[in-house]
Amino acid sequence: MTERRVTGSHRRGEDEAGVRESIAGARRVVVKVGSSSISSATSGMDTMRLAGLVKALADAHDAGRDVVLVSSGAISAGMSPLGLARRPRDLAHQQAAAAVGQGLLMERYTELFAARGLLAGQLLLTVDDMTRQASYRNASRTLGTLLRMGAVPIVNENDTVATHEIRFGDNDRLAALVAQVVRADALILLSDVSALYTSHPDEPDSERIGFVADVDSLTVDTHRAGSAGIGSGGMTTKVQAVQIAAGSGIPVLLTSAQEAERALAGATGTVFAPVDHMRPRRLMWLAYASQSRGRLTLDEGAVHALTVRKASLLAAGVTGVSGDFLAGDPVELAGPDGVVVARGIVNFSSGDLPAMLGHSSTELASAMGAEYEREVVHRDMLVLMQHGD
């Protein structure tokens, strides 16, 4: 089977060898493992696989590296005890399985890390935790404190309280956001495949990809799902996770869970270079972690002002408002064609904005008061959505 390299715009000097070296030397690394890599529908948790993973992580910790584990598997760990042969589709049974399985999963991780003299700490996060700035700061503070105290944080989505509308649904994006929160030097995604392929590995013309210089230039077929009956993600969510991490300046490696030790050394799988122009860290929360509460539709002039002139959004350029939101909430900013061009923190509620549409700041100040003269979204509180976002 041939191997492909995907070239494009990336950090100067960051060739494949350089990216692999960066991952091998990463002082702080976030490792994500999928459900299908540590469990099965028939027998639940796979103790041998868990032990192999923990050994690799403990070895890295003993070598002086900070390690954060983002682990799926709560639902799959609870399936066998509840007599479920396949991952349930309805939310109620998923939450029941997670309620049973999360404790079992953490118990096993705690035992395995304790055998190496390490303390494991559990963090269960929801989209809301990563959306609201106060909760986001709290999660960052907790993770940082655990790492400073020498513990191994184990993060999972809190499936027992998440809803279909407000949930990550998989841990790939969560892992990328955690990597950004803890200022990780590398992100490793462990799955049930050894690398990224141009299409499903079973396809006869599929090619293995060893290096991706620009994830936004990547063109692969990810329509086929992963392991049936266990995992919730797939290669699509992993590519999205890479986009998030690379946008934060974090190199990424993708490989199978069995290759965890070699992955930590940067010696296997597919590696992805960080992008050349990193987005400001304070805007990564807005771009990727926030849950939009509504949408503002803009005219062509406003789209040009935001995307070309890098200006703030004024009421005169807004033609429509949808959703129910308050001042300070994240909203999408879409052009006349419905394509989202930016996300931003809005300065007015959905109740106030309709009366303001199409009016200049001077007109608003005269008719409604000086407090209405400010921007609808200030340029410092918006982020443009690039290709692939």
Side-chain angles (χ1 to χ4, degrees):
M1 180 178 292
T2 59
E3 182 168 289
R4 176 181 293 187
R5 292 165 51 89
V6 179
T7 59
S9 175
H10 59 293
R11 284 184 180 177
R12 185 174 299 174
E14 285 276 31
D15 56 7
E16 180 176 355
V19 176
R20 291 189 182 277
E21 184 177 348
S22 295
I23 293 170
R27 173 68 178 79
R28 176 169 293 179
V29 59
V30 172
V31 177
K32 183 265 178 179
V33 63
S35 299
S36 59
S37 299
I38 58 174
S39 59
S40 68
T42 56
S43 57
M45 288 181 292
D46 188 320
T47 302
M48 294 298 292
R49 291 184 181 181
L50 282 172
L53 173 63
V54 169
K55 178 186 181 301
L57 299 180
D59 287 346
H61 186 279
D62 290 348
R65 306 171 77 176
D66 290 339
V67 177
V68 179
L69 174 62
V70 178
S71 177
S72 301
I75 293 177
S76 57
M79 286 165 51
S80 181
L82 290 173
L84 300 172
R86 293 181 61 84
R87 182 184 177 92
R89 294 182 178 274
D90 65 290
L91 184 61
H93 282 86
Q94 289 177 7
Q95 291 175 324
V100 172
Q102 185 63 40
L104 297 173
L105 184 65
M106 273 307 300
E107 179 183 24
R108 192 57 52 86
Y109 273 131
T110 300
E111 291 174 349
L112 291 169
F113 277 111
R116 291 291 303 266
L118 296 176
L119 185 65
Q122 175 181 255
L123 271 80
L124 297 178
L125 299 175
T126 64
V127 167
D128 209 41
D129 293 325
M130 303 298 278
T131 298
R132 300 189 181 280
Q133 289 182 326
S135 300
Y136 184 81
R137 287 193 298 268
N138 288 338
S140 176
R141 189 161 46 240
T142 301
L143 285 163
T145 302
L146 284 169
L147 290 171
R148 285 192 298 274
M149 297 182 74
V152 178
I154 300 178
V155 182
N156 196 0
E157 181 170 12
N158 194 344
D159 290 302
T160 60
V161 298
T163 66
H164 280 307
E165 292 77 17
I166 307 176
R167 67 183 314 192
F168 289 103
D170 66 85
N171 275 334
D172 295 313
R173 188 171 70 129
L174 175 59
L177 292 169
V178 168
Q180 184 264 320
V181 169
V182 302
R183 299 177 182 267
D185 301 306
L187 170 64
I188 296 175
L189 301 174
L190 300 178
S191 181
D192 52 3
V193 293
S194 61
L196 177 68
Y197 288 80
T198 54
S199 58
H200 195 279
D202 291 344
E203 299 292 335
D205 59 347
S206 179
E207 294 181 89
R208 186 181 187 275
I209 300 174
F211 174 58
V212 178
D214 182 2
V215 67
D216 284 337
S217 299
L218 183 65
T219 302
V220 294
D221 181 4
T222 60
H223 74 281
R224 284 184 60 176
S227 301
I230 296 294
S232 61
M235 197 54 66
T236 298
T237 63
K238 289 166 182 57
V239 172
Q240 292 169 348
V242 173
Q243 290 174 321
I244 296 171
S248 301
I250 302 170
V252 185
L253 186 149
L254 168 67
T255 191
S256 65
Q258 288 76 14
E259 293 286 303
E261 185 174 351
R262 296 186 66 216
L264 286 160
T268 187
T270 303
V271 290
F272 302 81
V275 299
D276 188 28
H277 301 290
M278 291 186 297
R279 294 180 176 179
R281 184 177 182 274
R282 63 183 177 81
L283 293 181
M284 292 303 295
W285 166 84
L286 178 59
Y288 295 116
S290 62
Q291 184 79 12
S292 292
R293 308 297 182 184
R295 174 178 289 198
L296 307 183
T297 301
L298 319 182
D299 60 27
E300 289 288 358
V303 171
H304 183 270
L306 263 60
T307 58
V308 178
R309 292 172 42 216
K310 312 302 182 187
S312 298
L313 175 63
L314 304 178
V318 183
T319 60
V321 179
S322 61
D324 184 11
F325 53 85
L326 301 174
D329 281 342
V331 296
E332 295 178 334
L333 309 179
D337 56 1
V339 175
V340 176
V341 296
R343 302 184 81 181
I345 300 298
V346 67
N347 285 327
F348 300 94
S349 71
S350 55
D352 288 335
L353 274 172
M356 302 169 57
L357 303 190
H359 295 288
S360 69
S361 298
T362 302
E363 292 171 340
L364 291 171
S366 176
M368 304 176 69
E371 66 271 22
Y372 288 88
E373 194 172 6
R374 65 190 187 278
E375 304 88 348
V376 173
V377 179
H378 192 277
R379 61 178 296 175
D380 291 339
M381 294 305 293
L382 66 82
V383 58
L384 298 179
M385 304 305 289
Q386 300 172 346
H387 170 71
D389 290 349

